[in-house]
Amino acid sequence: MGGIGSALAHELSRQGGRLALAGLGQEALLQLANELPGEAHAISADITRSGERKALLEQATRRLGHIDILINAVGILDFQPISELSEERIEQTLQINTLAPILFIRSVLPAMLARGHGRIVNVGSIFGSIAFPYFSVYSASKFALRGFSEALRRELADTGVGVTYVAPRATRTRLNDSRVMAMGEATGMNMDSPETVARQITRAIANDRNEAYLGRPESFFVRINGLLPRLVDRSLKAQRRIMEPYVRNQ
């Protein structure tokens, strides 16, 4: 767990949340758990594997009693032309960013429905509404997560279980390598700190928001892209010319 996930853990712990921290790397998870002011349990698991998802859910339920809120804040990305991505990497991105969260939600949901309350929180991206060149597979994975979140929210209407989809804009985390950071500076891309994003996510949860698109003017551009995609095409065509030298700088 890193970046937005770690910042979110700190924010929720300060607000009195009892947490189960899940991810790869037991040592890093334990370090994070020890840094938090409240109760936190470190559970190392690879949620792309069915058996580990099941074990994670069992451990989290045993330690917390039940799960009120599930937050999916996992993700990987590549800043590359599609022709240069291997089949294995494409499959891995979709597995981690989209399929694993969906399958984990499927596992957690029955207990929430039985209690008649709960909340699913999926952390997507502005790139899940505006598809950027050289981020094609990442954008596709977040578009899919956004669509799933919308469908699930409608499916769960009147059950007491809510679904929140949060779309941060670019964030200063290890997910973005030096090329992405340099490209972002050249294109004037706005970037938030993980702590800023974490505060906005917790507000969205507290207010039972269905969707939260973080940052302006990016949230406005999401609407423009939905209504006038050709206008955004022209804008991104100009941006692509600026981006190209950075994507080629391997």
Side-chain angles (χ1 to χ4, degrees):
M1 177 179 286
I4 292 173
S6 294
L8 191 52
H10 279 276
E11 187 68 24
L12 291 169
S13 185
R14 279 195 295 270
Q15 295 185 22
R18 299 171 60 237
L19 308 179
L21 310 174
L24 295 173
Q26 182 70 10
E27 185 176 340
L29 287 171
L30 282 171
Q31 181 178 342
L32 175 59
N34 290 333
E35 292 172 356
L36 300 179
E39 180 182 350
H41 305 277
I43 306 173
S44 179
D46 179 354
I47 67 166
T48 67
R49 298 178 179 274
S50 176
E52 295 198 32
R53 284 195 302 271
K54 181 179 179 181
L56 166 59
L57 180 56
E58 289 174 351
Q59 287 190 60
T61 302
R62 186 167 62 251
R63 295 181 185 187
L64 299 177
H66 56 265
I67 298 172
D68 290 314
I69 302 173
L70 170 67
I71 302 176
N72 287 306
V74 66
I76 59 172
L77 69 77
D78 292 287
F79 175 48
Q80 279 185 281
I82 184 63
S83 59
E84 296 181 12
L85 286 172
S86 68
E87 289 186 9
E88 292 77 14
R89 183 62 173 181
I90 292 170
E91 290 177 357
Q92 182 186 36
T93 301
L94 294 172
Q95 178 81 12
I96 291 173
N97 292 5
T98 311
L99 186 57
I102 289 173
L103 292 174
F104 196 52
I105 289 167
R106 180 177 176 271
S107 299
V108 170
L109 202 51
M112 287 186 174
L113 291 172
R115 291 195 309 276
H117 68 86
R119 181 154 294 272
I120 305 294
V121 182
N122 291 325
V123 180
S125 169
I126 290 293
F127 284 17
S129 297
I130 305 175
F132 269 64
Y134 305 122
F135 293 93
S136 58
V137 179
Y138 178 74
S139 284
S141 72
K142 295 300 186 177
F143 264 78
L145 187 64
R146 177 171 64 88
F148 172 77
S149 300
E150 184 175 282
L152 183 63
R153 180 187 313 119
R154 292 167 179 169
E155 184 175 324
L156 299 178
D158 302 322
T159 65
V161 179
V163 179
T164 299
Y165 175 78
V166 183
R169 62 185 179 182
T171 308
R172 291 187 291 274
T173 70
R174 288 175 294 178
L175 200 63
N176 297 307
D177 63 20
S178 59
R179 294 177 306 120
V180 176
M181 299 299 287
M183 178 276 293
E185 186 174 344
T187 58
M189 183 182 291
N190 295 308
M191 283 198 170
D192 292 321
S193 69
E195 291 74 21
T196 296
V197 173
R199 287 192 294 270
Q200 293 181 83
I201 292 174
T202 55
R203 280 198 294 269
I205 295 170
N207 293 323
D208 295 331
R209 293 276 301 276
N210 290 337
E211 295 179 329
Y213 293 87
L214 310 184
R216 295 181 180 176
E218 290 79 6
S219 56
F220 175 70
F221 291 155
V222 167
R223 296 185 181 185
I224 295 296
N225 189 64
L227 295 170
L228 300 167
R230 291 184 181 178
L231 183 63
V232 179
D233 284 347
R234 288 197 292 271
S235 174
L236 288 180
K237 185 176 181 180
Q239 289 281 72
R240 185 187 62 80
R241 297 190 187 102
I242 302 173
M243 296 167 72
E244 190 166 9
Y246 297 93
V247 78
R248 299 295 179 187
N249 184 24
Q250 300 290 332

